[in-house]
Amino acid sequence: MMHDYQPEVEACSEALATRKLTIAFAESASAGKLAYAFSQTQQSGQVLKGGLVCYDACIKEDLLKVPKLLIDTFTPESAEVTREMATGLQQIMNAEVVVSVTGLPTPGGSETPDKPVGTMFYCIWLAGQTHDYREVFEGSPGEVIDLTITHIARSVTRLLEQTGNT
């Protein structure tokens, strides 16, 4: 059964709009679904700056300027690469909040016993600081992505509340 992430996305979008902030996404594993979820909110025109689907590592390198050495050292699905994706996208889209996401919703990536299928990484860039997250979810690839979207929306909302960002 797919997880309904829309209530959390709505709350996050509202929190962004209240603070007059924009958000942008660099998406690998979620392949644009995160930006799509935010496009379905009432505040989308106010808050959604844009998104970049960078499923293949060469897009991460070419457009987001993630160093190939970093990808080769840590794998495309890692906290280190995800953080570089966020900082790279911030340079392109200049949103107040930038979220990047990578991970392993399906087999065939860089999974290991310590990083099983279902491991997702996301990074939130806010006010010049990066916040790294690693979650491991169970379920189908679609369920893993939906749970990731839920967690990202909750995390952004929580960070906005904690920082009192205006």
Side-chain angles (χ1 to χ4, degrees), residues 58-136:
C58 71
I59 304 299
K60 295 172 180 75
E61 293 171 30
D62 295 346
L63 294 179
L64 297 176
K65 307 301 182 207
V66 177
K68 183 174 181 354
L69 182 61
L70 196 72
I71 293 171
D72 291 345
T73 303
F74 296 102
T75 78
E77 306 89 11
S78 64
E80 293 82 3
V81 169
T82 307
R83 185 180 319 116
E84 285 296 312
M85 288 168 55
T87 56
L89 188 68
Q90 200 284 328
Q91 299 299 313
I92 297 170
M93 293 204 184
N94 196 30
E96 288 85 15
V97 181
V98 173
V99 178
S100 58
V101 60
T102 66
L104 299 159
T106 60
S110 61
E111 66 268 14
T112 66
D114 291 336
K115 186 171 66 170
V117 170
T119 303
M120 298 296 292
F121 298 94
Y122 62 96
C123 179
I124 301 168
W125 184 97
L126 172 65
Q129 292 189 321
T130 55
H131 306 268
D132 300 313
Y133 300 84
R134 178 189 189 271
E135 303 286 345
V136 181

